[in-house]
Amino acid sequence: MTRTARPLIAGNWKMNGLYSDSLTELRQLIKNTEATGTMACDVLICPPATLLREMAAASKNTAVDIGGQDCHANGKGAHTGDISAQMIAECGATYCIVGHSERRTDHGESDAVIKDKAAAAHGAGLIAIICVGETLAERESGKTLDVISAQLAGSIPVESNSDNTVIAYEPVWAIGTGKTPTPDDVKAVHAHIRQEISGRIGNSDATRLLYGGSVKASNADELMVIDNVDGALVGGASLKTDDFWPIVRSCC
Ligand code: PGA
């Protein structure tokens, strides 16, 4: 295993979480980090926007960071239902996911839009987690690395560096399906991403590359020791602290 960056274990709650239960889960997570003492990785929860302010307040000065799941590319304006990166930052969040495949698919977001969103996140002082990943059809037709290259080329803004940008490799067919690529496949894609971001992201060797897609307690140990895997972006298994914590511990 080669690792040059401090790992990040991020939970993406998607459209899950009401106030009371969410705060209970978060408090348990914080308690676990406090009981651990010095954490060897960063821990992030990206709750629905409705919970950002409360959760950021509850996790202030703890080892848990809070992030948004998406932001609009513009700072403000007539965009019903959207929120800006600055609004997310004002809640006390420090990260924002952009380009998740559910946004690309459900909302038709292109690489160009994702690039603008990442730039907006940077402009608001947020760390952008830019997601890339191939569909099953693309994998089966041998296009995985080409698809990833094109997504990286199109969605990384010029000011990106290892401090303000994280890349998450999330094969679309592995998200929420219980299927994961083999360790060799993950290794090959992450090595490819590391190579592709050189020249596109400042200090690319120290840029964190997360694996996402059906990460759970039972496979985290195996996934987190793969070369160039600097953490995980976890969906379903991040909703309950009891499920998420063993994944955190696989890196910390
Ligand atoms: P999953 O989702 O862990 O539920 O597969 C991952 C993601 O979409 O980030």
Side-chain angles (χ1 to χ4, degrees):
M1 172 173 56
T2 56
R3 186 174 277 151
T4 54
R6 182 175 163 86
L8 167 66
I9 303 291
N12 171 12
W13 282 7
K14 308 189 181 184
M15 199 172 70
N16 296 291
L18 295 175
Y19 175 77
S20 171
D21 287 350
S22 299
L23 267 287
T24 303
E25 295 298 333
L26 177 65
R27 289 201 186 98
Q28 184 60 50
L29 180 60
I30 291 168
K31 232 188 214 174
N32 290 358
T33 62
E34 285 168 353
T36 304
T38 307
M39 296 288 290
C41 69
D42 292 335
V43 182
L44 170 69
I45 295 289
C46 298
T50 48
L51 295 173
L52 280 174
R53 180 176 290 277
E54 293 284 353
M55 290 192 47
S59 60
K60 202 167 179 197
N61 299 325
T62 74
V64 178
D65 291 313
I66 299 297
Q69 297 177 8
D70 181 54
C71 64
H72 197 277
N74 292 354
K76 61 179 178 177
H79 304 290
T80 303
D82 279 311
I83 56 173
S84 72
Q86 203 181 352
M87 291 169 183
I88 292 169
E90 195 189 29
C91 287
T94 48
Y95 286 78
C96 188
I97 299 169
V98 297
H100 190 281
S101 67
E102 286 151 17
R103 298 292 312 179
R104 290 176 185 263
T105 305
D106 296 356
H107 301 267
E109 293 183 5
S110 64
D111 291 330
V113 166
I114 291 155
K115 181 184 192 171
D116 288 346
K117 289 183 174 210
H122 292 157
L126 298 170
I127 299 170
I129 301 178
I130 302 174
C131 303
V132 297
E134 82 286 0
T135 63
L136 188 58
E138 288 163 344
R139 171 159 287 267
E140 285 176 343
S141 56
K143 293 195 190 122
T144 298
L145 299 185
D146 290 343
V147 168
I148 303 289
S149 295
Q151 288 174 335
L152 292 169
S155 55
I156 297 173
V158 283
E159 73 283 356
S160 300
N161 59 50
S162 60
D163 290 332
N164 67 15
T165 303
V166 173
I167 302 293
Y169 168 54
E170 298 211 310
V172 179
W173 53 273
I175 295 175
T177 59
K179 294 182 190 151
T180 51
T182 66
D184 278 350
D185 286 340
V186 174
K187 185 175 173 181
V189 174
H190 277 241
H192 181 73
I193 293 173
R194 182 73 70 198
Q195 207 174 359
E196 288 286 295
I197 62 172
S198 157
R200 287 208 175 89
I201 298 184
N203 205 8
S204 61
D205 281 351
T207 299
R208 289 169 305 175
L209 309 184
L210 311 185
Y211 169 77
S214 295
V215 177
K216 42 189 187 266
S218 59
N219 61 18
D221 283 344
E222 171 182 67
L223 289 163
M224 292 305 111
V225 294
I226 297 170
D227 282 354
N228 289 304
V229 173
D230 309 301
L233 181 54
V234 186
S238 69
L239 296 173
K240 296 276 175 224
T241 294
D242 283 350
D243 297 330
F244 190 49
W245 185 247
I247 302 173
V248 173
R249 293 299 283 162
S250 72
C251 254
C252 298

